[in-house]
Amino acid sequence: MKLYVLFGQRKENYRGQYGLEALACMSEYDQDDNPNYLLDQKQKYASEFSSLTIVELSVDEVVITNILFPQKQTVAAITLKEIE
C-alpha cells in the first residue's frame, strides 16, 4: 500500500527550533479519488513553512491492519512430558 505524506519544516528563528511535521496524509486510494488534496494542503501551508514536500511511502497494509486490530493468536504446543 502506498501512503502520501506532506512533510514540512516550519520557518525557524534558529536552526532546530522546530522538528519536521507531517501535515497531511492520504492513501493511494484517496489519491485516486482526490489527486489535488495534498497539493492544496501544500499551498495552504506555504506561508508558515520554509520547506514542504510530498513523500511517497510504501507500507505493508497487513502489518498496519494488525496494529489497528490486534487479535489474540493461539500458540500451538506439544506436550513433551508432564511435570509433577
Side-chain angles (χ1 to χ4, degrees):
M1 165 183 206
K2 291 180 185 173
L3 294 178
Y4 299 90
V5 182
L6 173 62
F7 285 100
Q9 176 61 58
R10 199 171 285 279
K11 292 179 181 176
E12 298 177 319
N13 293 320
Y14 56 88
R15 186 173 174 86
Q17 182 179 10
Y18 301 111
L20 294 176
E21 296 181 41
L23 302 167
C25 179
M26 63 191 318
S27 72
E28 61 190 295
Y29 314 115
D30 300 322
Q31 180 74 8
D32 288 342
D33 292 340
N34 189 1
N36 291 324
Y37 173 73
L38 288 176
L39 296 174
D40 292 342
Q41 292 299 302
K42 188 175 180 181
Q43 186 176 12
K44 172 185 164 184
Y45 289 111
S47 64
E48 298 176 50
F49 289 78
S50 59
S51 184
L52 294 162
T53 190
I54 299 168
V55 176
E56 180 183 318
L57 303 173
S58 178
V59 298
D60 187 329
E61 191 169 354
V62 173
V63 171
I64 301 297
T65 301
N66 289 340
I67 292 168
L68 290 170
F69 304 101
Q71 298 177 8
K72 293 182 181 179
Q73 295 183 2
T74 303
V75 176
I78 298 172
T79 304
L80 299 176
K81 67 178 180 179
E82 186 176 333
I83 302 174
E84 300 178 282

